Amino acid sequence: MKKLMLLAFVLISANLSAQNASFGIKGGLNFGATGEYESVGDASGDFMSSFEDGESKTGFHAGLFAQFELLGIFIQPELMYTELNTSYSDFDYKLSKIDAPVLVGLNILGPLNIKAGPSFQYVLDNKIKGADLDIEDVEKEISMGYQLGAGLDLGRLGFDVRYEGAFTDNTAFGLGETAEENFSIDSRPSQWILSVSYAL
């Protein structure tokens, strides 16, 4: 599936020929969290369940973008590596993924623009840090979410602020040392993305 996503990105870039086309690199920080942590242990035959929302932490992203202007709007496919970190009361959760957003944007006032579109995600790895807990892979390695935001283009340099969310649950299950410590984490991202880009 990774090869399929990369091929789709290349085909989109190759087929969208226009007079105003640019390619470049970008990176920056993201601040957000994954979804709810649920303790799903069974103690003394009685089912016990508790829930906790994660605390947002800072991560980062880096990758490539292309931009094609067509009929007054632009299409911007990207291929990004992203690390998203979340803090729960007893541990930290780290999610590494490849993001492939395909955004449609509009220049609204001088260098200002707005953009939105789907974002395809491929989860590379998920880890528990700071606790002796084992976690399985997420249910869906590939899922789709969305990104929306605004940008500022100053010549070759660009600045973006976006929000990223997801459409469906994507749960990872984990095991503690005892049955009471079994748990699950909804690994859907909910984060703000701050980027700096440079057109080559």
Side-chain angles (χ1 to χ4, degrees):
M1 277 317 260
K2 283 191 293 186
K3 293 180 179 178
L4 184 60
M5 289 175 62
L6 181 58
L7 179 60
F9 177 81
V10 171
L11 289 176
I12 289 171
S13 301
N15 289 328
L16 292 175
S17 58
Q19 289 183 346
N20 296 322
S22 60
F23 304 84
I25 57 176
K26 64 178 299 185
L29 300 177
N30 30 283
F31 183 75
T34 47
E36 196 170 58
Y37 162 78
E38 179 183 2
S39 174
V40 292
D42 186 290
S44 302
D46 296 324
F47 181 76
M48 298 178 63
S49 184
S50 62
F51 301 89
E52 179 188 352
D53 290 326
E55 180 181 338
S56 296
K57 295 186 69 176
T58 302
F60 72 92
H61 59 278
L64 308 170
F65 76 92
Q67 189 179 99
F68 306 90
E69 290 195 20
L70 298 165
L71 302 176
I73 64 173
F74 63 84
I75 298 174
Q76 184 169 317
E78 300 176 355
L79 193 63
M80 311 295 296
Y81 172 80
T82 300
E83 285 193 3
L84 176 63
N85 299 302
T86 306
S87 179
Y88 296 97
S89 57
D90 296 325
F91 58 85
D92 287 345
Y93 179 55
K94 176 182 173 183
L95 187 72
S96 303
K97 60 195 181 92
I98 297 293
D99 289 322
V102 181
L103 307 178
V104 177
L106 178 66
N107 295 312
I108 56 173
L109 181 63
L112 294 175
N113 63 71
I114 54 175
K115 61 194 78 173
S119 179
F120 302 92
Q121 304 161 8
Y122 177 80
V123 176
L124 297 171
D125 196 16
N126 61 325
K127 295 179 180 178
I128 297 292
K129 301 173 66 178
D132 186 20
L133 299 171
D134 294 322
I135 191 165
E136 299 177 357
D137 292 335
V138 296
E139 285 182 310
K140 307 176 190 122
E141 285 187 334
I142 295 178
S143 61
M144 186 174 74
Y146 61 90
Q147 293 186 7
L148 54 91
L152 176 68
D153 292 329
L154 301 174
R156 292 182 177 271
L157 201 60
F159 301 90
D160 263 6
V161 57
R162 301 181 196 169
Y163 175 76
E164 179 185 56
F167 292 123
T168 58
D169 293 349
N170 196 10
T171 304
F173 295 94
L175 299 174
E177 294 182 350
T178 66
E180 290 82 359
E181 295 175 328
N182 293 347
F183 65 94
S184 67
I185 296 176
D186 179 3
S187 63
R188 286 182 295 178
S190 175
Q191 62 176 343
W192 288 96
I193 303 169
L194 302 175
S195 303
V196 178
S197 62
Y198 183 78
L200 301 174

